[in-house]
Amino acid sequence: MRLDQKIEERRLRYKAMAGVFEFFGVIGSALLIIALIALLVTMGAWLADDLSQSFSALQQGVTDALIVK
């Protein structure tokens, strides 16, 4: 009977540790998802700025080529 109690206590302890590790895994994953979303938003803003500058330079080049000064 004593061996069964030790086995059951150990099993409960492992279940509790697994629950704690699962909790921290969920929290870590949520933080990682938030960080990746922030990176995507930053990249989108950079892309919008870069495209506007690129098209501005392209438009200036076309305008200079078409207009004879």
Side-chain angles (χ1 to χ4, degrees):
M1 187 71 177
R2 182 70 180 143
L3 182 61
D4 290 339
Q5 288 176 345
K6 283 185 178 182
I7 291 172
E8 187 63 30
E9 286 176 9
R10 184 175 292 168
R11 184 176 295 139
L12 288 175
R13 196 174 319 135
Y14 285 146
K15 280 185 178 181
M17 287 174 30
V20 169
F21 284 129
E22 185 177 350
F23 173 76
F24 285 123
V26 168
I27 296 298
S29 297
L31 291 175
L32 182 64
I33 288 170
I34 290 170
L36 291 174
I37 288 172
L39 285 172
L40 282 173
V41 168
T42 303
M43 186 177 73
W46 171 81
L47 183 63
D49 289 341
D50 188 55
L51 286 176
S52 68
Q53 288 177 1
S54 296
F55 284 127
S56 174
L58 181 65
Q59 182 183 11
Q60 185 65 35
V62 170
T63 304
D64 289 345
L66 293 177
I67 298 175
V68 177
K69 294 182 181 181

